[in-house]
Amino acid sequence: SILFLSSIFIQHVWALQPSQPVAVATWRFGKLAVTKAADILQQKGFGIDAVEDGVNVVELDTKEQYYVGVGGLPNANGVMELDAAIMDGRRCQYGAVMALQSCQRPISVARRVMDK
């Protein structure tokens, strides 16, 4: 099964090591998320929780990156607006939010949308 979120993938690699989950990021700042996600997965946590918590680390970061989250750049009007989307392929569910203001963890809001 694969859980996909923005630039972060959590995948169980059945053909290579069935018991070893893998976290992969496509962007440089994704290392922050992968590190957190890997900790959760190593403790036998759920993949969807690893995705959410991993992305929370990036969303709240103001030192390692300036692309997304509270450390990102505001829109053309100088207003910080954040978007997020999350999908659980096992349950065929999806949640997304956009242009959230005064919200530091939009992935958690998107998760709540998905779970409702």
Side-chain angles (χ1 to χ4, degrees):
S1 65
I2 297 174
L3 297 173
F4 170 71
L5 173 65
S6 184
S7 61
I8 297 163
F9 296 87
I10 306 297
Q11 177 179 8
H12 288 278
V13 183
W14 299 107
L16 301 175
Q17 297 178 0
S19 64
Q20 297 297 316
V22 175
V24 178
T26 57
W27 292 91
R28 186 175 181 175
F29 60 81
K31 183 176 180 183
L32 297 168
V34 166
T35 300
K36 178 64 175 178
D39 288 344
I40 292 168
L41 294 173
Q42 287 173 354
Q43 296 172 18
K44 306 294 185 206
F46 293 105
I48 197 73
D49 296 330
V51 169
E52 179 183 2
D53 292 354
V55 172
N56 280 159
V57 172
V58 177
E59 290 173 333
L60 297 172
D61 178 63
T62 59
K63 296 180 182 174
E64 298 295 322
Q65 55 84 35
Y66 59 90
Y67 305 103
V68 299
V70 297
L73 300 172
N75 65 20
N77 295 323
V79 177
M80 183 63 77
E81 295 181 324
L82 302 177
D83 309 325
I86 189 167
M87 180 178 69
D88 185 340
R90 296 185 81 164
R91 297 185 301 160
C92 295
Q93 292 182 323
Y94 178 85
V97 294
M98 57 186 271
L100 295 182
Q101 297 178 10
S102 302
C103 177
Q104 294 186 344
R105 298 181 322 167
I107 194 64
S108 294
V109 178
R111 168 89 187 264
R112 299 311 166 263
V113 169
M114 179 183 71
D115 289 341
K116 291 290 179 176

